[in-house]
Each structure stands twice: as C-alpha cells, then as structure tokens.
C-alpha cells in the first residue's frame, strides 16, 4: 500500500493518525530529495567521464590522421589510395562523433542536471520551508491554546471575549496554513512522477541522437519511448485535472469545514484537556488527550498526545460512560469544562475541558450530558435539489440531438469535448434542451447559432447534472476495483459484467454515449481525441463517488481507465451477454481472496493484494409504521459500513413533503448525506489466519458481533468469542 491521502477535513481534527500520515509523506519526500541529490552527483561524474573519453578519442583520431601508408614505386593503385584515405575518413568520423559527444555532454547538463536541480531546490525546497512554517505554527497554536485555557474565568467579560477572538483568529490562521501544507505535500508527491521522469526521457533522447551507429537500438527503444511520452502526457493531464479537483475541494472545506467532516465509527472525537490530580502539595495538571466516544457501546477512549516536540503519543485509556455533567465557572476556575463519571470506575470522576463553548455543547450532546444543545457532529442532511437533469425521455432526446450534431458538424474538430464553450451560452442551450417545447424546435445539426464546443459542453453538463452519475453511486466502487488490478482480459470481463448490472435506462444511455465516443476516437488523427484523452474528459463525468474526499479524487485516474475500457470494447460489452459464472468466480472462488494491505507499526507495509467484490444488498426498512428504525438501523446503500449514507431514521426525519418528493423523483437514500455509525453482524465466507495481534483468526461460518468500519482501508472491526480485532472486509458477508 502506498502513502495514504491527506484529507483536508483532518486538518481541523489534527489527530495523531493525521500527523503520522504527514510524517510518512515528509519521509518519502526526504528520501526523494536524497536520491535526486545522489543522481545529480552521478550525472556530473558522467559528464566528467564523457569529457575524458572525448579527449582520448580525439587523440586517437589525431594519430589516425597523421599516419600515412608509404607505397612502393612512384604511383599508387586505386586500392592503395582507398586504404590510405580510410584512416583519414576514420579520423574525420571520430572527429564528427566527438563534436556530437560534446553536444551530448552539454545536453546532459541542460536536460537532466539543471531540471533536477531546479525541481530539488524549487519544489522540494519549497516543501521544506513550508514544513518549517507548519512546525512553527503548530508550536505557536497549541502554546497559545494552553495559555488561553489557563485564563481565569473571573476576568472581565470584555477581556475574555477579546482573548477568545484572538484565539479563534490564530486557530483559523493555523488551519489555513495546515490546509496549504497538506495540499503542497500531496501536490509534490504527484508532480514528481513527471517532473522527474521527463528530464530522464530528454537525456536518453540525447543519447540516442549521439549514438548514430546504435540506430537499431534506438529503433527498438522507439516504441517504449513513444509509450513513455504518452504516459507522461496522460499523467500530466490527469495531474492538472486532479489538482483542480483538489483545490476545489480545499476551497469548499475552507468555506464550510463542518459540512465536510468524514464518516467516522465514533459518535464524537477530538481533543480535550483532562484534569490529572496529583498528591498535595502539587495540585492538578491539565493534559491534552485525543478522545473518541462510541455512543452505542458508551465506550470512551482517551489518548494523551502532545503536538509539540515532534508529537508524542502516550498510553491510552478506555472506560464506559455512566454520566456526563456540565461544569459552571462558579465551581472551577476554567471555562468549557464538564465532568464524566465512568461506569466501570466507581467513585472516579474526570473533569474535561473543550477548546470552546461550541465544542463543549457538541460533546455534551454526544455524551447525553445535561444542558446539551443539539448541534450534530455529523453532516447535515441535504435533500436533492429540484429542477435538476433527469434520466428520462427528455434526457435521451438531449443526448441524441447533441451526438447527431457533433457527428454531423464537428467529428474532426481538434480537441473535441476537450475545448469548452462559453459558460453562459452552454447554460442557455442546456436550458432550452431541457424544456420539452424548445427542445423539439432546436435544429442543432443545421444551426450556425450554436458552436460545436457549446453543444459538447452542454452534453457534458447534462450528464454531470443528473441526480447521480450515469454509472451510479452503488456500482462506483465495483467499477474501480478491476481498474486497479488484474490482467487486461479480466478487467474487460469485470467491466462487462458490471455494465449489465446497471439499471436499464442507465445502460441504454451509456451504450449510446460510448458508441459515439468510439466513433470520435476513430477520428483521432484529425481531432486528436484518443481513447486516453476521452477517458480523461469523461471519467469524472460518468463516474463520481458519493463522498467528496481527497482519497476519492485520487481515484480519478482509475475512472479514466474504466471509460477507456468501455470505448475500446464497446461491441463486446454492450452487444454480448457477460459470463454468467463471472460473479461467482469473482466473489466465491475456491481459494480466499487476499486481505487488503494495511500499514502496521510493527510489521511495516504489506504487499498489495487484490480485493474481492461483494454485493451487499441491504434493504431499508419501511419507517412509516410504529417500529421506525432508530439511530442504529442499517443503511440502504451498498457497503454501508465503508461509505457514509443516511439511516432510515435520517430519511424519515425529513418533513413528509420532502420525503415523498425524494421518493417520487426516484431518489434513494444515497441522495442524502449523513455519517451515523452502524453496528452490524457479519458471517465469514472464507477462513483467515491472523498475521498480527490486532487481527482475528476465524473459520468459515464464524459470526462476528458489533461490526464497524475501521480506520484501516479495506478492513472492518468486529468481536468474535469476546475478542475484538480487525477483519478483512472481503472475507465476510454482512447479515
């Protein structure tokens, strides 16, 4: 498993695991920096060796030029003249060769050494400077928090309010800096893929130009060279697209951080200061802990963690909540405090301090404390907006009209679908197309009022405006899996099978569109839109995850691959039936799948292994009866434990009119957003031998209790025979 993505939303929690991931990124960049530094040194040695070789070759050529065969008699034969001239020709050949070698030596400096030095100094150096600022601001931020929280509650309100404002401004500045640093870390990780390889490609091109007599070798390398050039271009294109998506997400989180909190197995989590009492005369001290609370089990975990001095993680504690009470300032000389009584520690009470009054309110609500105000830790439930594009007869008319116009008027236009139209014109055309009256009157094939780029942009905008992507939220993860692993044949078979699982309307529209894209790619010599380029354009249009995260954005490249497979194999995928044994062999093979890779502190990183695909069909219960589902009711979306989706309670918590409107429009629970943690049972479908003390060993048929999401991607947490541990998600089936 590679480096874990750094989520912008984690900047606000600043958890210990977030800091661990940051350190992993920093270590990788330091390793890259050392490697480039050593490579530059070797490159300079190569230039010096080249100059030495050139000097020796010139001396050899000079010796050949000065030597002259003496002939016997007073005249030379033609053969003798040719032999005599051959040494001078050899000398001239070597002289010309050395002139090219000098050019090559200069090109090594220009195409390899200088770009690498520039990348190392400007890009990696900039990250180092950002790290210094980030570390400095971390120290400053948490020092100021310590100082602020030690303010006496007896001071004047105006003084306290001013102090609160100053702290909030400082925290906001720290969050801004943290967001920028996380963005820079991930950008440089992606940038180095082409910033480093491209100079190498230029260097080898210079080598082949020099080696005239190695022409056959250069020709053999030509296919790989062309492929690498294409790979670099594709990577650059994907980088640009990914960077824009990441920046957009960062800006969204910057504006509304509370609306983009990630799904979590915990009802509440974050930092609290815990009062630690000491024997007289030392009094007590306040120690910062990262606290996690699971409401269903009333389980409270606290872990001491100090951000300063490199981040020191202490030994954690676990207890079960009995009662939570708000503390007033007349009973304690600190603000934002509340008391917790542990059920398994009779007579023991812990006093905790939040960072602000708002955070205390949220903790009191989650803990069921008195005087709690109901501000949810989770995301707000946002109904699907009205008036959006629909997958109906009008939608098919829009698709067919646009495709017909493009194929009639602009199939050979360079940059087709990549060149965008003017936003106002695109919106106006799409509005006319979505109106039944004006849509029938539009003649896009013969109209000069609408440019081809306006038509293509309107088509893409329609597809993006659908309530859910054409390839559905439900199957999004399944489509991504084969794109990440397996042979080319198995990828095609998997995509073939999954396409036929799409709803009939979705599959029909996808068929029409992909057939058109196949036609577009067949004219790539004129329009320059290869299959790869079309994948870059339509990957994010046809596929998108339900939750917008950095991790999801990083999968954009795999979405592009799925679209490429659809275009290259259109006839097979849409005109033939998939192998009926495919899902069985994929999900229930005789040998168990490999567990997903997991980062372990003791064992290091494991080998990447494929993950099986399961269909977890979880029905949403009808909540209109007297036994409406409560908070812990299973969700209706696929893979409910690993992706945020609303519970039945969330759906039925909507006003009746909104709920009926959602269902009448064909909406599903996937159209809403919530992050309630679900507890489920699961049954093992494969045996598993634990490779680490934190994992569970089990046989086929084992039943797990209290199954929940894990922080480890691809893993669940569950209890078996009284022991709790990690379970590979693809080894079990939810009940």
């Amino acid at each position: 498993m590679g480096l874990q993505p750094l989520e912008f939303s984690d900047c606000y929690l600043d958890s210990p695991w977030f800091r661990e991931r940051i350190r992993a990124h920093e270590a990788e960049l330091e390793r890259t920096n050392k490697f480039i530094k050593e490579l530059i040194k070797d490159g300079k040695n190569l230039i010096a060796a080249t100059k030495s070789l050139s000097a020796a070759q010139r001396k050899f050529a000079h010796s050949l030029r000065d030597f002259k065969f003496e002939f016997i008699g007073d005249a030379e034969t033609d053969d003798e003249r040719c032999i005599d001239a051959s040494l001078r020709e050899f000398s001239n050949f070597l002289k010309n060769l050395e002139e090219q070698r000098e050019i090559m030596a200069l090109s090594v400096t220009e195409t390899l050494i200088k770009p690498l030095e520039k990348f190392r100094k400007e890009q990696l150096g900039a990250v180092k400077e950002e790290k210094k600022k980030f570390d400095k601001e971390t120290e400053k931020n948490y020092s100021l928090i310590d100082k602020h929280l030690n303010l006496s509650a007896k001071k004047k309100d105006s003084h306290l309010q001013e102090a609160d404002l100053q702290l909030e401004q400082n925290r906001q500045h720290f969050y801004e800096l943290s967001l920028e640093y996380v963005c820079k870390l991930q950008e440089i990780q992606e940038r180095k893929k082409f910033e480093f390889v491209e100079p190498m490609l230029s260097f080898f091109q210079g080598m082949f130009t020099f080696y005239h007599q190695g022409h056959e070798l250069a020709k053999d390398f030509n296919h790989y060279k062309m492929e690498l050039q294409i790979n670099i271009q594709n990577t650059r294109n994907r980088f640009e697209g990914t960077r824009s998506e990441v920046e957009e997400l960062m800006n969204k989180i910057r504006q509304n951080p509370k609306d983009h909190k990630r799904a979590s197995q915990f009802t509440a989590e974050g930092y609290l200061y815990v009062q630690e009492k000491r024997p007289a005369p030392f009094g007590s001290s306040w120690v910062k802990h990262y606290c996690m609370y699971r409401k269903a089990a009333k389980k409270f975990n606290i872990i001491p963690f100090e951000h300063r001095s490199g981040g020191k993680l202490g030994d954690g504690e676990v207890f079960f909540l009995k009662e939570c009470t708000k503390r007033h300032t007349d009973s304690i000389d600190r603000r934002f405090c509340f008391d917790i009584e542990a059920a398994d520690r009779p007579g023991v009470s812990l006093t905790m301090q939040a960072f602000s009054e708002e955070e205390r309110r949220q903790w009191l609500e989650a803990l069921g404390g008195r005087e709690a105000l109901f501000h949810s830790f989770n995301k707000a439930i946002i109904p699907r907006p009205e008036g959006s594009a629909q997958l109906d007869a009008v939608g098919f008319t829009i698709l067919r009209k646009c495709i017909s116009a493009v194929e009639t008027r602009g199939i050979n236009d360079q940059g087709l679908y990549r060149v965008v139209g003017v936003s106002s014109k695109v919106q106006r055309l799409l509005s006319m197309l979505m109106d039944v009256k004006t849509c029938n009157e539009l003649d896009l094939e013969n109209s000069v009022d609408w440019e081809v780029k306006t038509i293509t942009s309107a088509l893409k905008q329609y597809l993006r405006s659908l309530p859910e992507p054409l390839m559905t939220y439900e199957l999004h993860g399944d489509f991504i899996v084969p794109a990440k692993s397996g042979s080319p044949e198995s990828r095609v078979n998997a995509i073939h099978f999954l396409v036929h699982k799409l709803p009939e309307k979705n599959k029909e529209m996808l068929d029409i569109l992909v057939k058109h894209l196949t036609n577009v790619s067949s004219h790539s010599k004129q329009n320059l839109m290869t299959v790869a380029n079309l994948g870059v354009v339509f990957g994010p249009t046809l596929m998108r995850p339900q939750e917008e995260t950095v991790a999801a954005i990083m999968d954009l490249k795999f979405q592009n691959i799925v679209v490429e497979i659809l275009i290259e194999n259109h006839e097979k995928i849409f005109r033939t039936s998939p192998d009926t044994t495919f899902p069985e062999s994929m999900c229930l093979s005789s040998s168990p799948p490999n567990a997903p890779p997991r980062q372990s502190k003791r064992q290091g990183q494991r080998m990447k292994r494929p993950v099986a695909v399961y269909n977890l069909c979880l029905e949403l219960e009808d909540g209109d009866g007297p036994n409406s589902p409560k908070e812990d009711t299973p969700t209706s979306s696929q893979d409910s434990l690993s992706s945020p989706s609303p519970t039945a309670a969330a759906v039925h918590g909507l006003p009746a009119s909104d709920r009926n409107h959602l269902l009448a429009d064909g909406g599903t629970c996937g159209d809403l957003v919530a992050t309630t943690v679900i507890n489920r049972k699961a049954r093992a479908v494969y045996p598993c031998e634990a490779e680490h003390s934190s994992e569970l060993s089990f046989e086929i048929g084992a039943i797990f209790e209290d199954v929940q999401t894990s922080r480890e991607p691809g893993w669940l947490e569950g209890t078996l025979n009284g022991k709790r541990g990690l379970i590979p998600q693809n080894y079990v089936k939810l009940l």
Side-chain angles (χ1 to χ4, degrees), residues 89-310:
E89 290 295 327
F90 291 156
S91 176
N92 290 334
F93 174 80
L94 288 176
K95 180 182 177 182
N96 293 333
L97 192 63
E98 292 317 307
E99 289 176 354
Q100 294 299 318
R101 194 188 300 275
E102 285 183 356
I103 295 174
M104 183 197 70
L106 291 174
S107 71
V108 170
T109 301
E110 296 297 325
T111 63
L112 181 65
I113 303 300
K114 288 185 177 180
L116 291 180
E117 286 180 332
K118 181 180 178 182
F119 176 73
R120 178 172 167 267
K121 292 178 181 178
E122 294 183 3
Q123 299 296 332
L124 296 178
V127 174
K128 282 188 175 182
E129 291 300 318
E130 289 290 330
K131 180 182 184 306
K132 291 178 182 178
K133 288 169 58 179
F134 179 71
D135 291 342
K136 182 178 179 181
E137 286 299 321
T138 296
E139 182 78 20
K140 177 182 176 182
N141 181 60
Y142 288 100
S143 295
L144 189 57
I145 289 174
D146 286 349
K147 181 180 177 181
H148 181 73
L149 295 178
N150 278 305
L151 281 176
S152 172
K154 296 178 181 179
K155 290 184 177 291
K156 292 182 179 180
D157 289 343
S158 59
H159 180 79
L160 293 175
Q161 289 174 2
E162 182 180 354
D164 289 347
L165 179 61
Q166 183 180 358
L167 177 64
E168 184 59 31
Q169 290 175 347
N170 185 76
R171 290 180 71 187
Q172 187 62 36
H173 174 69
F174 175 71
Y175 294 152
E176 291 279 340
L177 187 66
S178 181
L179 287 170
E180 295 292 342
Y181 183 54
V182 165
C183 183
K184 188 67 175 177
L185 280 176
Q186 295 185 128
E187 178 182 326
I188 199 68
Q189 294 288 8
E190 292 298 304
R191 182 186 289 275
K192 69 181 184 183
K193 295 176 184 176
F194 56 84
E195 291 267 9
F196 174 68
V197 176
E198 197 166 36
M200 293 298 300
L201 183 62
S202 298
F203 163 71
F204 276 100
Q205 182 61 47
M207 290 282 286
F208 292 130
T209 302
F210 163 71
Y211 285 117
H212 296 293
Q213 293 183 349
H215 177 68
E216 289 300 321
L217 178 61
K219 190 167 66 174
D220 292 341
F221 184 80
N222 190 59
H223 178 68
Y224 170 75
K225 182 191 71 174
M226 295 299 296
E227 283 193 349
L228 185 56
Q229 288 173 333
I230 293 172
N231 293 150
I232 291 175
Q233 188 59 47
N234 288 343
T235 303
R236 184 185 292 277
N237 293 341
R238 289 167 183 162
F239 166 76
E240 294 298 336
T242 301
R243 183 172 65 173
S244 63
E245 293 282 341
V246 168
E247 289 176 350
E248 182 179 349
L249 176 58
M250 181 180 70
N251 291 330
K252 287 180 181 178
I253 292 181
R254 177 185 285 130
Q255 294 169 6
N256 298 294
K258 293 182 180 179
D259 293 342
H260 290 82
K261 289 187 177 180
R262 298 179 63 201
S264 171
Q265 59 178 307
F266 299 106
T267 310
E269 61 179 319
Y271 283 102
L272 293 170
Y273 277 76
V274 180
Q275 184 182 38
E276 293 187 352
K277 296 181 179 179
R278 299 178 179 177
F282 299 105
S284 62
S285 64
W286 293 82
V287 179
K288 186 161 78 303
H289 289 68
Y290 193 80
C291 303
M292 299 158 285
Y293 176 65
R294 188 178 290 134
K295 188 173 183 178
K298 289 197 170 184
K299 189 176 181 181
F300 210 109
N301 297 62
I302 62 174
I303 302 172
F305 183 77
E306 180 52 65
H307 286 83
R308 293 164 294 187
S309 304

Side-chain angles (χ1 to χ4, degrees), residues 15 20 23 44 48 58 100 112-113 148 168 176 196 233 278 285 296 298 306 455 512 530 632 649 673 686 707 731:
S15 67
E20 288 290 332
R23 281 197 288 272
K44 291 180 178 179
R58 286 180 179 277
Q100 294 299 318
L112 181 65
I113 303 300
H148 181 73
E168 184 59 31
E176 291 279 340
F196 174 68
Q233 188 59 47
R278 299 178 179 177
S285 64
K298 289 197 170 184
E306 180 52 65
I455 298 172
I512 296 170
T530 61
D632 293 336
V673 183
Y686 299 107
V707 178
Y731 275 60

Side-chain angles (χ1 to χ4, degrees), residues 275 277 327 338-342 345-351:
Q275 184 182 38
K277 296 181 179 179
R327 286 286 294 272
F338 57 92
D339 290 338
I340 285 181
E341 188 175 341
R345 300 181 185 181
V348 176
S349 177
L350 296 175
T351 300

Side-chain angles (χ1 to χ4, degrees), residues 77-94:
T77 64
D78 291 340
D79 293 334
E80 289 172 338
R81 282 195 293 270
C82 288
I83 291 173
D84 191 27
S86 68
L87 297 182
R88 290 190 295 274
E89 290 295 327
F90 291 156
S91 176
N92 290 334
F93 174 80
L94 288 176

